């Protein structure tokens, strides 16, 4: 076995034994009650999943294995001459629960380089789609085409012992993460650069090589990709992309099928597609006002117009967070360091001043603060990546790190098929009238 696989196995065996003990001793303990509103309104606040890789606090934001984003920016290994964390390091941390050293990260970089081959039929499948197809659709179709490579699917078909599920899920996860930058860069170059593709550079780290294959050699953009791939990787287990990957994986669908399902969820405008919606909204705002850097009052008027049309303000609000997203703040810091005078970046900062009080005044929005998607597009545009329909693919490549590390844990724990109970309105009414008390069976 590989070094990382051995390490994971060692940790997973210990944790799985601990979980077994916890369930034996405390399995009947209650951790909450479910209200009718929660049943009807997206199950907010119901604790119903175990996800090892990260934990979200409504006030503080995300912590990956206990570490906040600023802590990770300090503690995770960097590229030579760089100051942003390498996403390889975050993956290592999420997977084995320990901070990696430089050597661990270099090892992971070379493992992913080695496993990054994408078979030709995947490119042919992408080419079969009209070039106008949304990049997220191309991405999902390509992941599905890659499913021919699943070791889990092959081994399961040949007859696999339950105890060994984790191992081929681990191998598929590593292969898939290694291959995604090549697939995503191919889609980018096909759609926006006349199919003028760029070969990988075996000397670069995972995110740096991704930037290179998309055609961005600027060191600033490579640093941005390292930060971007780190901060978008995981947001505990209940968000749509993570939960979907976990849910589909619980049917023992292989990592390719599970991750593709998660990516279909990420492609929704209330989730990952919000990053494209934000920049589109800002471009429209600037065009309508004929002003490259609109001031706060102009923005306020435009926000009111958006709301009056029954639309959401993209990039603002969150189902769990109740403060400014630290992933937004990390990007503000990056902007201040690399492009403090960029008019689009300044517009994002002006929007940050204008939007929260308006959303607060509506009285119904639980979180008026910006999320990760409010900022990311402006940084990309600064380096010339204006093709905003592609942005969610970038998010998706990063999200693979978290959801696939979690999928390895799901199989290591031997989690069963996920199958919550649903009810009908008629049954709710009977229950309210005291005529039916049968729940859960
Ligand atoms: N603009 C306008 N109205 C908003 C709003 C926003 N940014 N955020 C919430 N609201 C509204 C909701 O639409 C809802 O209205 P109705 O009662 O009329 O249906 C009301 O406020 C209560 O919603 P909530 O409880 O505060 O928020 P939810 O948990 O239901 O939804 C969302 C969270 C992120 C979906 C929501 O805030 C939203 O639509 N934001 C804009 C889209 C966005 O930025 N999505 C990305 C989120 C982060 C992420 O997943 N990134 O990938």
């Amino acid at each position: 076995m590989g070094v990382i696989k051995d390490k994971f196995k060692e940790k997973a065996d210990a944790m799985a034994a601990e979980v077994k003990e916890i369930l034996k001793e405390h399995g009947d303990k209650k951790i909450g009650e479910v209200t009718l509103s929660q049943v009807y309104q997206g199950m907010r606040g119901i604790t119903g999943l175990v996800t090892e890789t990260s934990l979200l606090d409504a006030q503080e934001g995300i912590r990956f294995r206990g570490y906040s984003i600023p802590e990770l920016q300090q503690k995770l290994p960097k590229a030579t001459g760089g100051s942003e964390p390498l996403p390889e390091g975050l993956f290592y941390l999420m997977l084995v629960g320990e901070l990696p050293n430089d050597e661990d990260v270099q090892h992971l970089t070379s493992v992913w380089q080695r496993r990054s081959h994408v078979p030709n039929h995947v490119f042919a499948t992408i080419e079969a789609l009209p070039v106008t197809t949304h990049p997220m659709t191309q991405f999902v179709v390509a992941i599905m085409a890659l499913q021919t490579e699943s070791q889990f699917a092959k081994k399961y078909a040949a007859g696999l012992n339950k105890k060994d599920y984790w191992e081929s899920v681990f191998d598929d996860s590593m292969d898939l993460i290694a291959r995604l930058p090549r697939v995503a860069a191919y889609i980018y170059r096909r759609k926006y650069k006349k199919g003028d593709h760029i070969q990988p550079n075996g000397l670069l780290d995972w995110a740096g090589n991704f930037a290179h294959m998309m055609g961005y050699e600027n060191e600033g953009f490579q640093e941005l990709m390292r930060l971007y791939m780190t901060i978008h990787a995981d947001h505990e287990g209940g968000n749509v992309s993570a939960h979907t990957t976990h849910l589909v994986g619980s049917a023992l669908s292989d990592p390719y099928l599970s991750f593709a399902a998660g990516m279909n969820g990420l492609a929704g405008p209330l989730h990952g597609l919000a990053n494209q919606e934000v920049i589109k909204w800002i471009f429209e705002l600037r065009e309508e006002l004929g002003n490259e850097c609109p001031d706060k009052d102009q923005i306020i008027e435009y926000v009111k117009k958006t709301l009056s049309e029954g639309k959401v303000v993209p990039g603002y609000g969150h189902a769990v967070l109740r403060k400014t997203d630290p992933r937004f703040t990390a990007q503000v810091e990056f902007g201040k360091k690399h492009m403090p005078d960029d008019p689009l970046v300044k517009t994002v900062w002006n929007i940050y001043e204008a939007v929260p009080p308006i959303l607060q005044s509506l009285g119904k929005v639980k979180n008026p603060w910006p999320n990760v998607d409010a900022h990311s597009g402006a940084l990309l545009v600064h380096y010339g990546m204006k093709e905003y329909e592609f942005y969610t693919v970038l998010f998706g490549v990063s999200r693979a790190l978290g959801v696939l590390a979690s999928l390895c844990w799901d199989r290591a724990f031997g989690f069963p098929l996920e199958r919550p109970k649903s009810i009908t309105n008629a049954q709710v009414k009977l229950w309210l009238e005291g005529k039916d008390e049968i729940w859960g069976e």
Side-chain angles (χ1 to χ4, degrees):
M1 272 201 255
V3 185
I4 305 174
K5 201 193 252 183
D6 285 343
K7 186 134 202 166
F8 175 74
K9 171 86 174 119
E10 186 193 318
K11 295 268 172 180
D13 282 350
M15 277 299 297
E18 222 175 291
V19 168
K20 216 170 163 187
E21 240 353 86
I22 290 173
L23 283 177
K24 202 169 129 201
E25 281 277 304
H26 308 287
D28 290 335
K29 288 213 167 106
K30 294 198 172 147
I31 55 172
E33 284 178 7
V34 178
T35 66
L36 206 49
S37 304
Q38 288 174 308
V39 171
Y40 272 94
Q41 292 174 325
M43 301 194 277
R44 297 289 186 287
I46 300 177
T47 303
L49 296 166
V50 172
T51 303
E52 284 296 89
T53 46
S54 65
L55 185 65
L56 181 59
D57 180 273
Q59 303 298 325
E60 254 207 344
I62 193 70
R63 278 184 183 267
F64 302 88
R65 297 278 190 177
Y67 295 101
S68 67
I69 289 174
E71 284 167 350
L72 290 182
Q73 283 175 300
Q74 265 199 331
K75 291 180 193 291
L76 288 180
K78 323 269 185 301
T80 313
S83 56
E84 297 301 339
L86 286 166
E88 286 91 329
L90 176 68
F91 179 76
Y92 186 100
L93 175 68
M94 289 190 292
L95 188 75
V96 302
E98 282 174 19
L99 280 172
N101 58 30
D102 286 345
E103 210 181 299
D104 297 324
V105 160
Q106 279 158 17
H107 173 68
L108 203 42
T109 301
S110 67
V111 168
W112 286 349
Q113 283 278 4
R114 247 193 350 263
R115 299 174 93 136
S116 65
H117 173 73
V118 175
N120 277 337
H121 76 267
V122 175
F123 300 126
T125 306
I126 297 171
E127 291 295 340
L129 294 167
V131 77
T132 49
T133 308
H134 193 282
M136 272 308 274
T137 310
Q138 298 195 40
F139 189 52
V140 172
V141 168
I143 298 162
M144 292 305 302
L146 263 177
Q147 193 267 346
T148 51
E149 309 309 294
S150 172
Q151 303 190 37
F152 179 85
K154 286 187 194 100
K155 289 192 174 159
Y156 192 88
L160 190 59
N161 189 310
K162 270 182 177 190
K163 288 201 312 301
D164 301 325
Y165 289 167
W166 73 272
E167 193 172 356
S168 34
V169 165
F170 181 100
D171 284 331
D172 277 356
S173 297
M174 295 293 258
D175 287 345
L176 183 48
I177 291 169
R179 288 163 166 158
L180 287 175
R182 180 101 169 90
V183 167
Y186 188 93
I187 293 166
Y188 181 72
R189 302 290 301 178
R190 171 183 190 238
K191 188 165 169 75
Y192 304 112
K193 306 290 172 189
K194 299 192 171 74
D196 180 12
H197 297 292
I198 299 171
Q199 288 307 305
N201 177 346
L203 299 175
L204 286 169
D205 54 282
W206 184 73
N209 189 32
F210 185 24
H212 157 76
M213 288 187 287
M214 288 188 289
Y216 294 86
E217 301 300 345
N218 182 302
E219 182 49 36
F221 187 85
Q222 298 196 349
E223 277 287 273
L224 176 60
M225 272 304 100
R226 291 170 189 132
L227 176 68
Y228 191 112
M229 292 295 132
T230 299
I231 63 177
H232 286 79
D234 208 34
H235 220 222
E236 73 169 33
N239 67 77
V240 173
S241 50
H243 189 188
T244 308
T245 307
H246 164 82
L247 168 68
V248 175
S250 85
L252 297 185
S253 304
D254 64 59
Y256 294 86
L257 298 171
S258 306
F259 179 64
M263 289 300 97
N264 280 313
L266 194 75
L270 297 187
H271 190 19
L273 203 79
N275 59 9
Q276 102 166 27
E277 294 300 288
V278 167
I279 216 71
K280 185 166 163 253
W281 183 81
I282 299 177
F283 284 168
E284 285 165 2
L285 155 84
R286 299 206 305 184
E287 200 176 312
E288 193 162 315
L289 297 173
N291 185 345
E292 201 187 32
C293 195
D295 64 29
K296 195 173 152 187
D297 288 341
Q298 290 174 310
I299 293 168
I300 287 173
E301 284 316 304
Y302 196 78
V303 170
K304 287 184 178 161
K305 179 171 168 279
T306 300
L307 293 171
S308 73
E309 289 165 352
K311 298 175 185 163
V312 293
V313 180
Y316 281 76
H318 200 273
V320 179
L321 273 171
R322 295 296 175 256
K323 284 272 168 68
T324 295
D325 191 334
R327 300 173 299 174
F328 177 87
T329 311
Q331 295 179 88
V332 171
E333 294 307 319
F334 189 94
K336 281 187 190 160
K337 185 170 165 194
H338 294 272
M339 58 201 76
D341 300 320
D342 183 299
L344 187 62
V345 171
K346 278 185 168 171
T347 302
V348 167
W349 299 344
N350 290 341
I351 293 171
Y352 182 27
E353 286 192 23
V355 169
I358 305 176
L359 291 183
Q360 247 153 358
S361 73
L362 296 179
K364 65 173 183 179
V365 180
K366 295 193 192 67
N367 177 39
W369 304 106
N371 57 58
V372 66
D373 300 313
H375 207 310
S376 53
L379 302 179
L380 296 165
V381 171
H382 176 83
Y383 292 106
M385 186 182 269
K386 298 193 179 111
E387 303 91 353
Y388 53 73
E389 283 198 346
F390 188 73
Y391 293 173
T392 312
V393 176
L394 296 178
F395 193 157
V397 173
S398 166
R399 187 47 59 104
L401 300 176
V403 301
L404 292 173
S406 283
L407 204 61
C408 294
W409 278 100
D410 290 349
R411 295 293 76 78
F413 283 137
F415 284 158
L417 182 79
E418 190 173 299
R419 202 338 186 152
K421 178 81 184 83
S422 73
I423 46 171
T424 61
N425 281 302
Q427 199 181 358
V428 169
K429 283 192 226 154
L430 285 174
W431 174 68
L432 290 173
E433 289 163 12
K435 293 183 187 155
D436 188 351
E437 304 228 350
I438 305 165
W439 294 89
E441 290 303 325

